[in-house]
Amino acid sequence: MGSYSSHVSKIEDLQGIIQETGFSKAHVCRLYDRFEGLDQNKAGQLSREDFQRIGELAVNPLGDRIINAFFPDGNQTLDFRSFIRILACFRPVTVDKSAGPNSPEPINSRSNKLRFAFQLYDQDRDGKISRDELFQVLRMMLEAQVTDDQLDSITDRTIQEADLDGDGAISFEEFRKSLENVNLEHKMSIRFLQ
């Protein structure tokens, strides 16, 4: 990679990014290269439109929601540090034996992976997944495979099983509990090449 050394000089606070995200210097440089490739306007910022040009997101039924997750709080653009911070959530979990009990939670922890998944459902960001929000996601994912009646039944059963406090919605804690036996390490990790 001929541009490796030029990337190193362009990346502001490279050591801080490495420490915060757990990515190696080579990973950060490769992700910077990807960031620059997506930045069509060469502005040092990515827009929603830049993400919409990613083929895998264009065909993913949850593509718009995934893109929205990169733009919290209604932001219209994001810089490289924000971009890599979100991608770090999908880094495989590694045990840090040097981390003490008061160390901050790793960016790629199981809990942070769950928070990312939860926000794909909780579109109004009220801290709960309503029946309608769950129904919308299931419709996107299962669209042609089930009837609306079947989808209603799946939605109702899912709420009934996960809603421990009986309020008709799924809180983050209920979401976490309902997924405690799911192997998130396998389902929500991207293996970055060495």
Side-chain angles (χ1 to χ4, degrees), residues 53-72:
R53 285 190 281 276
I54 300 171
E56 293 85 353
L57 286 176
V59 298
N60 186 320
L62 297 177
D64 284 340
R65 288 179 183 233
I66 293 168
I67 291 168
N68 288 341
F70 278 85
F71 298 91

Side-chain angles (χ1 to χ4, degrees), residues 176-189:
R176 186 189 63 72
K177 283 185 180 187
S178 71
L179 294 173
E180 63 190 1
N181 293 323
V182 173
N183 182 355
L184 286 182
E185 179 59 23
H186 174 71
K187 296 191 181 297
M188 289 189 71
S189 289

Side-chain angles (χ1 to χ4, degrees), residues 105-164:
E105 181 177 35
I107 205 165
N108 64 328
S109 68
R110 178 179 178 83
S111 182
N112 283 330
K113 289 178 191 300
L114 285 168
R115 279 187 193 89
F116 185 90
F118 185 82
Q119 74 177 344
L120 295 180
Y121 292 87
D122 182 21
Q123 290 296 286
D124 64 7
R125 301 191 192 281
D126 68 350
K128 295 195 175 261
I129 301 169
S130 68
R131 184 192 184 286
D132 185 54
E133 288 170 327
L134 179 61
F135 184 86
Q136 287 175 28
V137 170
L138 292 174
R139 172 175 270 154
M140 285 183 243
M141 292 171 36
L142 302 172
E143 190 171 359
Q145 301 169 25
V146 296
T147 67
D148 278 350
D149 287 342
Q150 290 170 319
L151 202 52
D152 275 329
S153 177
I154 293 167
T155 303
D156 290 339
R157 191 175 67 223
T158 303
I159 294 279
Q160 183 180 12
E161 289 175 8
D163 179 21
L164 302 176

Side-chain angles (χ1 to χ4, degrees), residues 52-100:
Q52 289 166 342
R53 285 190 281 276
I54 300 171
E56 293 85 353
L57 286 176
V59 298
N60 186 320
L62 297 177
D64 284 340
R65 288 179 183 233
I66 293 168
I67 291 168
N68 288 341
F70 278 85
F71 298 91
D73 307 321
N75 296 338
Q76 297 304 307
T77 60
L78 83 155
D79 61 11
F80 176 68
R81 189 171 198 127
S82 299
F83 173 76
I84 198 166
R85 213 181 264 136
I86 292 167
L87 291 179
C89 181
F90 298 100
R91 214 173 41 76
V93 175
T94 54
V95 178
D96 183 0
K97 295 178 179 146
S98 66

